[in-house]
Amino acid sequence: TRMNGKVAIVTGAGSGMGLEEARLLAQEGAKVVLTDINFDAVQAVAKSIQEDGGDAIAIKHDVASEDNWSEVVAETVNQYGKIDVLVNNAGISMAVGLLDTSIDQWNRVMNINVTSVFLGMKHVIPHMVAGGGGSIINISSIAGLTGSSGAGAYTASKGAVRMLSKAAAVDFGGQNIRVNSVHPGFISTPMSSQFVEDPQMLQFFLSQTALPRVGQASEVAQAVLFLASDEASYVTGVELPVDGGVTAK
Ligand code: NAD
């Protein structure tokens, strides 16, 4: 168990990658606080982790709300006494071309994908400093590394997550806090199912990857576990693609 004694917050843990990340961290011995705007979903995931012998609680959380972040952090510290790991995973996709993007759509994707990461780090880092260190993993995308077609706002949001991670890595390394970003490629989750299940889209995806398949959420979770664990003790400020080789091309 690589996460024994650690306390982790995972946002967007009701579905897809967040669910697998929370489950794996718990399996490895972490006490996990699962948050999601969809409370029923995240409560069910926490319950199944408990049934498997893990230590987990669920909290309803809109990651774009600063008040909600205050509550999540207070409840985590109240329940478990400290915070060692933060996984900023919650996010929304927006496959809308730049010229068709309304200001409301732009603000929505920026609030949920970027402001969330800023608020999470702002509220959690003081507790990590008090505890002697920590590891923050921010989920970006291959869209945060290269220009994705037909998704200008989403691409901008994921690029911002990447640079915000590096800025925080530089500022808080002195306090033993590591901050890294993970960049999933084409991963099969509820968010991507409409694309992955379309034969033409799937063919396009497979033309982009080196490994001839889409990825599983559990494969992204393994990368998150590595960065969260002490095995990554000298790794900070990096961008880790988990993309089957898309960005190698
Ligand atoms: P998903 O839609 O399956 O799960 C996302 C979860 O986030 C859901 O449970 C949802 O309720 C929650 N959520 C949405 N808005 C929220 C909010 N305002 N506050 C709190 N929770 C909220 O998505 P996924 O595919 O698992 O994606 C997880 C992350 O990975 C996202 O940041 C996404 O942008 C990124 N990503 C996904 C892919 C992919 O192929 N699926 C690729 C690259 C990056």
Side-chain angles (χ1 to χ4, degrees):
T1 53
R2 295 149 76 181
M3 299 300 296
N4 250 353
K6 306 275 192 193
V7 177
I9 297 174
V10 181
T11 69
S15 169
M17 289 183 237
L19 181 161
E20 295 295 340
E21 290 152 11
R23 192 186 290 287
L24 184 60
L25 291 169
Q27 263 170 26
E28 293 292 330
K31 300 173 169 104
V32 185
V33 176
L34 296 86
T35 83
D36 204 292
I37 200 161
N38 182 343
F39 185 61
D40 289 345
V42 80
Q43 208 176 21
V45 178
K47 190 160 174 260
S48 86
I49 290 174
Q50 290 161 2
E51 283 165 3
D52 292 342
D55 197 339
I57 59 169
I59 304 177
K60 183 174 167 67
H61 182 198
D62 176 357
V63 289
S65 157
E66 184 156 27
D67 287 347
N68 276 200
W69 269 109
S70 298
E71 289 161 19
V72 165
V73 166
E75 209 164 321
T76 302
V77 172
N78 187 39
Q79 182 84 12
Y80 293 128
K82 59 170 184 165
I83 308 170
D84 301 296
V85 173
L86 170 64
V87 185
N88 280 310
N89 162 82
I92 55 168
S93 68
M94 193 163 290
V96 182
L98 199 58
L99 304 187
D100 296 322
T101 303
S102 70
I103 188 73
D104 285 347
Q105 286 175 315
W106 172 270
N107 287 336
R108 182 170 152 73
V109 79
M110 286 298 169
N111 285 336
I112 297 177
N113 289 5
V114 185
T115 306
S116 59
V117 175
F118 154 63
L119 291 173
M121 295 202 292
K122 180 175 174 178
H123 285 265
V124 166
I125 285 174
H127 293 276
M128 290 181 165
V129 170
S135 174
I136 298 173
I137 299 102
N138 296 325
I139 306 301
S140 176
S141 166
I142 49 173
L145 293 169
T146 61
S148 277
S149 172
Y154 181 79
T155 303
S157 77
K158 292 303 188 179
V161 168
R162 168 170 161 254
M163 290 313 296
L164 190 55
S165 303
K166 290 183 192 295
V170 168
D171 279 349
F172 299 101
Q175 278 97 353
N176 195 30
I177 294 168
R178 297 182 295 103
V179 187
N180 295 290
S181 56
V182 167
H183 299 258
F186 307 117
I187 310 296
S188 179
T189 70
M191 180 189 274
S192 64
S193 58
Q194 63 190 101
F195 305 116
V196 173
E197 280 159 20
D198 174 341
Q200 250 179 326
M201 281 302 283
L202 183 61
Q203 203 177 15
F204 166 74
F205 289 162
L206 299 186
S207 75
Q208 304 290 302
T209 56
L211 300 174
R213 61 181 180 83
V214 297
Q216 299 302 315
S218 58
E219 297 179 286
V220 177
Q222 292 288 349
V224 170
L225 169 63
F226 167 67
L227 292 171
S229 77
D230 291 341
E231 288 162 29
S233 52
Y234 204 53
V235 180
T236 195
V238 308
E239 49 214 19
L240 177 54
V242 183
D243 69 350
V246 172
T247 50
K249 289 194 171 182

